[in-house]
Amino acid sequence: MKKKNSKILRTLFLSTLYLSTFTFGGGYVIVSLMKKDFVDARHWIDEEEMLDLVAIAQSAPGAIAVNGAIVVGYKLAGILGAFVAIFGTVIPPFVIISILSVCYQAFRSNLLVARMLEGMQAGVGAVIASVTFGMGCSVIKEKDVISLLVLILSFLLACSGEINIVWIILGCGILGVIRTMLERKVRK
């Protein structure tokens, strides 16, 4: 059992290290790549669990990439798995940002670097749109009218710009808790 656990920890560390090293654009991008790796390729967790873990990661304070790594690591190997996933996720940005901060003055005025970063922004937008579409399709496939209505209402409220996204997330969380409590009450 120890050998299997150490293999999972090593694979978890290397996977999060790789994803964090080669992912540009923030947490939503790394979450989509985590889904491809942990759900589609390795089958460590199923898609519904991944959606739940993403919801937890989004609701917690902090960077979504780190939060996502924590919940996936904890799911796979407990507290030690969470720490291993954190280190794998945090090391690459720490090293990269440390190097960039030393070279910031040279990069700041480099036209080639500026254009490259603009191009990466477009790619990141496409990846985020793909993740959003995929997660939305999962909600639609469930054919759960309440979840679909919450999805549509949340989208409209977020697009309106009138309500801070934090309030939308908190409202959805409260609705989820109320719904779960009511469903449990009905089952009893």
Side-chain angles (χ1 to χ4, degrees), residues 2-177:
K2 263 189 168 180
K3 196 171 192 177
K4 182 181 179 187
N5 196 31
S6 67
K7 184 178 181 197
I8 287 175
L9 291 172
R10 184 173 42 257
T11 306
L12 178 63
F13 176 77
L14 292 174
S15 292
T16 54
L17 183 76
Y18 174 81
L19 290 172
S20 187
T21 301
F22 298 106
T23 302
F24 295 91
Y28 294 107
V29 176
I30 199 168
V31 166
S32 69
L33 295 175
M34 282 179 169
K35 180 205 173 283
K36 286 180 183 174
D37 189 20
F38 301 149
V39 176
D40 300 337
R42 298 185 194 282
H43 306 291
W44 281 348
I45 52 179
D46 62 32
E47 191 165 340
E48 187 173 323
E49 280 181 304
M50 186 67 189
L51 288 172
D52 292 342
L53 296 177
V54 169
I56 292 168
Q58 287 176 323
S59 302
I64 191 169
V66 176
N67 292 345
I70 290 170
V71 293
V72 170
Y74 185 80
K75 166 79 170 93
L76 294 175
I79 297 286
L80 188 57
F83 280 114
V84 166
I86 289 169
F87 287 125
T89 304
V90 170
I91 289 171
F94 179 77
V95 170
I96 292 168
I97 289 173
S98 296
I99 292 168
L100 289 177
S101 67
V102 170
C103 306
Y104 177 71
Q105 291 301 324
F107 282 128
R108 189 175 85 172
S109 60
N110 188 318
L111 183 63
L112 182 62
V113 172
R115 296 291 187 236
M116 181 181 74
L117 291 173
E118 286 177 16
M120 289 168 63
Q121 287 177 351
V124 167
V127 172
I128 291 173
S130 173
V131 170
T132 305
F133 181 76
M135 292 173 78
C137 286
S138 296
V139 170
I140 292 169
K141 286 178 186 174
E142 288 178 14
K143 297 181 181 171
D144 181 0
V145 176
I146 294 173
S147 293
L148 189 58
L149 289 173
V150 170
L151 171 80
I152 293 168
L153 181 62
S154 299
F155 176 77
L156 293 173
L157 289 172
C159 287
S160 74
E162 297 292 320
I163 298 176
N164 189 313
I165 193 73
V166 172
W167 295 115
I168 297 170
I169 292 170
L170 287 173
C172 289
I174 291 168
L175 283 173
V177 168

